[in-house]
Amino acid sequence: MISLYDLEFTDGRRPSPFCWRAKFALAHKGLAWQEVPVGFTEKDKIAFSGQKLLPVIVDHAQGDAVVPDSGAIAAYLDRTYPQKPQLIADPASVRFVSNWTGPVVHAAIFAMMVADMYARVRPQDRDYFRQSRARWIGTEDFEAFQAAARTDRLASFRHSLEPLRLQLKAGPFLSGETPSYLDYIVASAFLWARSVTSFALLDAGDPIIPWRDRMIDLYGFGQKAVVVT
């Protein structure tokens, strides 16, 4: 059994895209895990890992091996369980997609749903979220910032996803006929959004939508991600 320390919002929401990457990786490997919810102000729960970020896994079958960081977790699982389906066939491609997803996909999604995130942070974590995210964006007026981002950035965000559309012309997944960690990196951003906002990030009819829905339903994650209504 593996313990996965996972960021928690209200109503059981689990928004972290990096934690979703770890869940995809564990499911891809067919490994069982139990989730340990952690709020923003509960970093003491992961002090044993020597750092303050989620996700963290503890692999009890491997002498309670502790692995933080979603990318390191994926590499660890491939290295430790080589008999299971491979996650990362080409590390360079994974680095590229991860480096693209952060500043392009995550940055835009965060800007367009920061107020929705704040509304769903656990009450005991709201001060932390407000202060820390205000330092990121330069204001505590999340509603105004979010509204402006939706007006100013939505079209460019949708355009920035053109590489996904082109890649998906070649097969049902970014990796071809079967999903891999490349798909999990990008799909985790959409599970993040699904758990905190009802805002339509994609235009109706976007060819990314069938892929996104396949990824959300993969391994039953569509039922595990709280849908905002």
Side-chain angles (χ1 to χ4, degrees):
M1 177 65 73
I2 291 174
S3 295
L4 168 65
Y5 290 76
D6 185 14
L7 181 64
E8 183 180 44
F9 275 23
T10 57
D11 303 322
R13 300 173 195 274
R14 303 297 175 85
S16 168
F18 300 102
C19 293
W20 279 113
R21 292 183 193 184
K23 293 174 201 176
F24 271 121
L26 289 164
H28 182 98
K29 286 289 188 180
L31 297 169
W33 75 91
Q34 59 185 2
E35 294 174 12
V36 182
V38 181
F40 280 118
T41 55
E42 295 181 315
K43 299 297 177 65
D44 57 299
K45 287 186 176 181
I46 57 170
F48 65 87
S49 70
Q51 50 87 65
K52 298 180 179 180
L53 301 177
L54 296 167
V56 175
I57 66 166
V58 179
D59 190 348
H60 303 293
Q62 300 293 328
D64 290 338
V66 176
V67 187
D69 182 82
S70 56
I73 288 169
Y76 166 83
L77 295 177
D78 265 351
R79 185 171 63 252
T80 307
Y81 299 97
Q83 73 279 16
K84 302 284 189 177
Q86 187 178 32
L87 273 164
I88 301 173
D90 181 0
S93 295
V94 167
R95 284 194 300 272
F96 178 84
V97 171
S98 184
N99 289 337
W100 173 80
T101 300
V104 175
V105 181
H106 284 190
I109 289 178
F110 172 80
M112 292 187 287
M113 66 178 194
V114 60
D116 291 346
M117 290 179 66
Y118 182 56
R120 292 170 175 85
V121 170
R122 302 184 318 166
Q124 61 268 44
D125 296 331
R126 288 173 67 84
D127 286 346
Y128 171 87
F129 185 95
R130 185 183 67 255
Q131 294 166 14
S132 62
R133 274 46 182 179
R135 286 195 294 270
W136 289 8
I137 63 177
T139 180
E140 290 190 0
D141 191 346
F142 296 151
E143 289 285 353
F145 185 90
Q146 175 177 282
R150 291 178 177 184
T151 298
D152 299 338
R153 299 182 65 169
L154 180 59
S156 61
F157 167 71
R158 290 174 174 173
H159 179 71
S160 74
L161 300 179
E162 189 61 19
L164 298 185
R165 299 183 188 97
L166 294 173
Q167 185 68 9
L168 289 168
K169 288 182 178 180
F173 298 100
L174 298 180
S175 307
E177 294 302 315
T178 58
S180 78
Y181 199 62
L182 297 176
D183 294 272
Y184 304 152
I185 290 171
V186 184
S188 291
F190 289 101
L191 279 163
W192 172 31
R194 177 186 173 93
S195 69
V196 296
T197 188
S198 59
F199 182 66
L201 294 171
L202 301 175
D203 195 15
D206 192 317
I208 293 173
I209 290 176
W211 167 83
R212 180 202 64 187
D213 292 346
R214 279 194 297 275
M215 296 305 301
I216 286 175
D217 290 336
L218 202 62
Y219 312 123
F221 285 172
Q223 288 71 48
K224 294 181 180 180
V226 176
V227 181
V228 176
T229 57

